Amino acid sequence: MKCNNSNPALQPWVPGRAGCRSSGNTKRRDSTNVKSDQEAQQGIKCGDVRVHTANITEMMPVFEVRHNKSRFFGDYADNAPAQCAQWALPAKERYMGDFNVKPKNPVLVIGNTHDPVTPLVSARNVSETFKGSVLLQHDSYGHDSLMQASLCTAEAIRSYFVNGTMPQKGTKCPVKVPLFSEEDGWDEVIAQLESGSN
């Protein structure tokens, strides 16, 4: 399939383009499973929604507030309430308690420096809410720590899950992959992790 968009990372979001690849980048991972992942996410999100309504008049004030908060992604986020409007399967378990808690194990929170959806200040708020947690700042763009790989971030995640160790407070992990380079840098980072080299 021919890709018309110059950024292959955006192809999974274009209807009918899940398997689209850039001809100049053969290392990008196949994204044919994106559709099934999105369907699973929809079920999780809709099951957690507290109020369901198919009345667009009731939803318009919600949409307007979101659009005013984020001029770039406010309207994109309308997908969830629209798709979940008549969802009939509530989640079996839903936490309704206080989020200002001390969890059994410390929480590692990762926030991107330039995240257009969940900004770094939100990651700080989450970290301050969970006692004993540490915020690791992933110095990249995009809406998660996967868009631009960082060996520093990957090592911190591995240490957290394998040994239960946390990075130092104030840790800021750099990325090497330039923005809009059509590379994510994960092949190199994974190779470095496997070889144990930095």
mmCIF file of all heavy atoms in Angstrom, residues 108 110 136 150-168 171 173 193:
data_model
loop_
_atom_site.group_PDB
_atom_site.id
_atom_site.type_symbol
_atom_site.label_atom_id
_atom_site.label_comp_id
_atom_site.label_asym_id
_atom_site.label_seq_id
_atom_site.Cartn_x
_atom_site.Cartn_y
_atom_site.Cartn_z
ATOM 1 N N LEU A 108 6.765 4.329 39.673
ATOM 2 C CA LEU A 108 7.631 5.068 38.767
ATOM 3 C C LEU A 108 6.735 5.772 37.758
ATOM 4 O O LEU A 108 6.016 5.126 36.995
ATOM 5 C CB LEU A 108 8.606 4.136 38.042
ATOM 6 C CG LEU A 108 9.445 4.774 36.934
ATOM 7 C CD1 LEU A 108 10.324 5.891 37.477
ATOM 8 C CD2 LEU A 108 10.295 3.718 36.234
ATOM 9 N N ILE A 110 6.553 8.284 34.501
ATOM 10 C CA ILE A 110 7.367 8.816 33.404
ATOM 11 C C ILE A 110 6.564 9.864 32.671
ATOM 12 O O ILE A 110 5.419 9.616 32.263
ATOM 13 C CB ILE A 110 7.777 7.694 32.429
ATOM 14 C CG1 ILE A 110 8.572 6.615 33.172
ATOM 15 C CG2 ILE A 110 8.592 8.257 31.264
ATOM 16 C CD1 ILE A 110 8.875 5.389 32.352
ATOM 17 N N LEU A 136 10.291 10.438 36.501
ATOM 18 C CA LEU A 136 11.407 10.441 35.569
ATOM 19 C C LEU A 136 10.978 11.281 34.368
ATOM 20 O O LEU A 136 9.950 11.007 33.756
ATOM 21 C CB LEU A 136 11.754 9.017 35.136
ATOM 22 C CG LEU A 136 12.952 8.879 34.189
ATOM 23 C CD1 LEU A 136 13.684 7.580 34.466
ATOM 24 C CD2 LEU A 136 12.537 8.931 32.741
ATOM 25 N N SER A 150 15.047 6.174 24.509
ATOM 26 C CA SER A 150 16.125 6.659 25.366
ATOM 27 C C SER A 150 16.680 5.483 26.151
ATOM 28 O O SER A 150 15.932 4.785 26.846
ATOM 29 C CB SER A 150 15.598 7.725 26.338
ATOM 30 O OG SER A 150 16.514 7.947 27.389
ATOM 31 N N LEU A 151 17.980 5.250 26.044
ATOM 32 C CA LEU A 151 18.611 4.177 26.803
ATOM 33 C C LEU A 151 18.455 4.432 28.295
ATOM 34 O O LEU A 151 18.179 3.520 29.077
ATOM 35 C CB LEU A 151 20.092 4.050 26.429
ATOM 36 C CG LEU A 151 20.864 2.952 27.164
ATOM 37 C CD1 LEU A 151 20.283 1.570 26.873
ATOM 38 C CD2 LEU A 151 22.343 3.011 26.798
ATOM 39 N N CYS A 152 18.589 5.673 28.698
ATOM 40 C CA CYS A 152 18.454 6.059 30.100
ATOM 41 C C CYS A 152 17.071 5.673 30.630
ATOM 42 O O CYS A 152 16.952 5.054 31.694
ATOM 43 C CB CYS A 152 18.678 7.565 30.222
ATOM 44 S SG CYS A 152 18.193 8.310 31.785
ATOM 45 N N THR A 153 16.009 5.999 29.888
ATOM 46 C CA THR A 153 14.647 5.664 30.303
ATOM 47 C C THR A 153 14.448 4.152 30.319
ATOM 48 O O THR A 153 13.864 3.600 31.255
ATOM 49 C CB THR A 153 13.622 6.325 29.369
ATOM 50 O OG1 THR A 153 13.799 7.747 29.404
ATOM 51 C CG2 THR A 153 12.194 6.001 29.782
ATOM 52 N N ALA A 154 14.927 3.480 29.276
ATOM 53 C CA ALA A 154 14.768 2.025 29.192
ATOM 54 C C ALA A 154 15.462 1.329 30.360
ATOM 55 O O ALA A 154 14.925 0.383 30.948
ATOM 56 C CB ALA A 154 15.313 1.518 27.854
ATOM 57 N N GLU A 155 16.660 1.784 30.717
ATOM 58 C CA GLU A 155 17.376 1.186 31.844
ATOM 59 C C GLU A 155 16.652 1.441 33.163
ATOM 60 O O GLU A 155 16.599 0.569 34.033
ATOM 61 C CB GLU A 155 18.804 1.734 31.910
ATOM 62 C CG GLU A 155 19.688 1.191 30.800
ATOM 63 C CD GLU A 155 21.098 1.752 30.845
ATOM 64 O OE1 GLU A 155 21.281 2.905 31.298
ATOM 65 O OE2 GLU A 155 22.017 1.037 30.419
ATOM 66 N N ALA A 156 16.074 2.637 33.300
ATOM 67 C CA ALA A 156 15.329 2.957 34.522
ATOM 68 C C ALA A 156 14.096 2.066 34.657
ATOM 69 O O ALA A 156 13.792 1.566 35.749
ATOM 70 C CB ALA A 156 14.925 4.424 34.520
ATOM 71 N N ILE A 157 13.403 1.838 33.543
ATOM 72 C CA ILE A 157 12.221 0.969 33.561
ATOM 73 C C ILE A 157 12.622 -0.464 33.900
ATOM 74 O O ILE A 157 11.986 -1.131 34.715
ATOM 75 C CB ILE A 157 11.482 1.030 32.206
ATOM 76 C CG1 ILE A 157 10.886 2.425 31.992
ATOM 77 C CG2 ILE A 157 10.392 -0.034 32.129
ATOM 78 C CD1 ILE A 157 10.353 2.665 30.593
ATOM 79 N N ARG A 158 13.705 -0.945 33.287
ATOM 80 C CA ARG A 158 14.166 -2.307 33.559
ATOM 81 C C ARG A 158 14.561 -2.456 35.026
ATOM 82 O O ARG A 158 14.182 -3.437 35.686
ATOM 83 C CB ARG A 158 15.349 -2.660 32.653
ATOM 84 C CG ARG A 158 15.863 -4.074 32.904
ATOM 85 C CD ARG A 158 16.865 -4.518 31.867
ATOM 86 N NE ARG A 158 18.070 -3.702 31.890
ATOM 87 C CZ ARG A 158 19.111 -3.883 31.063
ATOM 88 N NH1 ARG A 158 19.065 -4.832 30.147
ATOM 89 N NH2 ARG A 158 20.162 -3.115 31.135
ATOM 90 N N SER A 159 15.287 -1.490 35.573
ATOM 91 C CA SER A 159 15.696 -1.555 36.978
ATOM 92 C C SER A 159 14.497 -1.545 37.908
ATOM 93 O O SER A 159 14.483 -2.229 38.938
ATOM 94 C CB SER A 159 16.622 -0.381 37.319
ATOM 95 O OG SER A 159 17.828 -0.476 36.609
ATOM 96 N N TYR A 160 13.486 -0.778 37.530
ATOM 97 C CA TYR A 160 12.279 -0.690 38.352
ATOM 98 C C TYR A 160 11.558 -2.041 38.404
ATOM 99 O O TYR A 160 11.193 -2.523 39.481
ATOM 100 C CB TYR A 160 11.353 0.393 37.789
ATOM 101 C CG TYR A 160 10.014 0.482 38.476
ATOM 102 C CD1 TYR A 160 9.911 0.945 39.789
ATOM 103 C CD2 TYR A 160 8.859 0.116 37.814
ATOM 104 C CE1 TYR A 160 8.677 1.034 40.414
ATOM 105 C CE2 TYR A 160 7.619 0.204 38.429
ATOM 106 C CZ TYR A 160 7.537 0.665 39.739
ATOM 107 O OH TYR A 160 6.317 0.744 40.356
ATOM 108 N N PHE A 161 11.372 -2.658 37.250
ATOM 109 C CA PHE A 161 10.626 -3.914 37.210
ATOM 110 C C PHE A 161 11.444 -5.123 37.674
ATOM 111 O O PHE A 161 10.913 -6.039 38.295
ATOM 112 C CB PHE A 161 10.067 -4.170 35.806
ATOM 113 C CG PHE A 161 8.832 -3.372 35.521
ATOM 114 C CD1 PHE A 161 8.875 -2.302 34.645
ATOM 115 C CD2 PHE A 161 7.625 -3.672 36.134
ATOM 116 C CE1 PHE A 161 7.731 -1.549 34.380
ATOM 117 C CE2 PHE A 161 6.485 -2.939 35.882
ATOM 118 C CZ PHE A 161 6.536 -1.865 35.004
ATOM 119 N N VAL A 162 12.743 -5.129 37.387
ATOM 120 C CA VAL A 162 13.567 -6.284 37.738
ATOM 121 C C VAL A 162 14.024 -6.223 39.197
ATOM 122 O O VAL A 162 13.959 -7.220 39.925
ATOM 123 C CB VAL A 162 14.789 -6.397 36.799
ATOM 124 C CG1 VAL A 162 15.737 -7.496 37.263
ATOM 125 C CG2 VAL A 162 14.328 -6.658 35.373
ATOM 126 N N ASN A 163 14.476 -5.050 39.644
ATOM 127 C CA ASN A 163 15.060 -4.923 40.977
ATOM 128 C C ASN A 163 14.230 -4.108 41.956
ATOM 129 O O ASN A 163 14.566 -4.043 43.139
ATOM 130 C CB ASN A 163 16.467 -4.294 40.891
ATOM 131 C CG ASN A 163 17.363 -5.041 39.939
ATOM 132 O OD1 ASN A 163 17.392 -6.262 39.948
ATOM 133 N ND2 ASN A 163 18.094 -4.311 39.099
ATOM 134 N N GLY A 164 13.207 -3.439 41.452
ATOM 135 C CA GLY A 164 12.404 -2.574 42.322
ATOM 136 C C GLY A 164 13.104 -1.284 42.687
ATOM 137 O O GLY A 164 12.698 -0.591 43.626
ATOM 138 N N THR A 165 14.166 -0.930 41.950
ATOM 139 C CA THR A 165 14.909 0.297 42.253
ATOM 140 C C THR A 165 14.359 1.463 41.446
ATOM 141 O O THR A 165 13.900 1.300 40.317
ATOM 142 C CB THR A 165 16.408 0.127 41.954
ATOM 143 O OG1 THR A 165 16.554 -0.276 40.583
ATOM 144 C CG2 THR A 165 17.026 -0.919 42.843
ATOM 145 N N MET A 166 14.413 2.630 42.058
ATOM 146 C CA MET A 166 13.886 3.850 41.436
ATOM 147 C C MET A 166 15.039 4.744 40.998
ATOM 148 O O MET A 166 16.105 4.736 41.636
ATOM 149 C CB MET A 166 13.023 4.611 42.440
ATOM 150 C CG MET A 166 11.865 3.808 42.983
ATOM 151 S SD MET A 166 10.531 3.673 41.783
ATOM 152 C CE MET A 166 9.575 5.097 42.232
ATOM 153 N N PRO A 167 14.838 5.536 39.949
ATOM 154 C CA PRO A 167 15.863 6.522 39.586
ATOM 155 C C PRO A 167 15.913 7.632 40.631
ATOM 156 O O PRO A 167 14.983 7.783 41.423
ATOM 157 C CB PRO A 167 15.378 7.048 38.233
ATOM 158 C CG PRO A 167 13.912 6.798 38.232
ATOM 159 C CD PRO A 167 13.684 5.569 39.060
ATOM 160 N N GLN A 168 16.996 8.380 40.636
ATOM 161 C CA GLN A 168 17.103 9.522 41.541
ATOM 162 C C GLN A 168 16.035 10.554 41.199
ATOM 163 O O GLN A 168 15.691 10.745 40.030
ATOM 164 C CB GLN A 168 18.487 10.166 41.408
ATOM 165 C CG GLN A 168 19.629 9.302 41.902
ATOM 166 C CD GLN A 168 19.582 9.106 43.412
ATOM 167 O OE1 GLN A 168 19.305 10.035 44.162
ATOM 168 N NE2 GLN A 168 19.848 7.886 43.845
ATOM 169 N N THR A 171 15.694 13.007 37.861
ATOM 170 C CA THR A 171 16.345 12.387 36.695
ATOM 171 C C THR A 171 15.669 12.845 35.410
ATOM 172 O O THR A 171 14.448 12.807 35.290
ATOM 173 C CB THR A 171 16.296 10.853 36.783
ATOM 174 O OG1 THR A 171 17.018 10.431 37.930
ATOM 175 C CG2 THR A 171 16.898 10.218 35.531
ATOM 176 N N CYS A 173 16.064 12.067 31.351
ATOM 177 C CA CYS A 173 16.705 11.184 30.381
ATOM 178 C C CYS A 173 16.679 11.788 28.979
ATOM 179 O O CYS A 173 15.612 12.114 28.460
ATOM 180 C CB CYS A 173 15.990 9.831 30.361
ATOM 181 S SG CYS A 173 16.342 8.813 31.808
ATOM 182 N N LEU A 193 20.750 -2.576 25.336
ATOM 183 C CA LEU A 193 20.259 -3.261 26.540
ATOM 184 C C LEU A 193 20.682 -4.728 26.554
ATOM 185 O O LEU A 193 21.096 -5.258 27.578
ATOM 186 C CB LEU A 193 18.731 -3.173 26.626
ATOM 187 C CG LEU A 193 18.137 -1.814 26.987
ATOM 188 C CD1 LEU A 193 16.622 -1.851 26.846
ATOM 189 C CD2 LEU A 193 18.529 -1.392 28.404
#
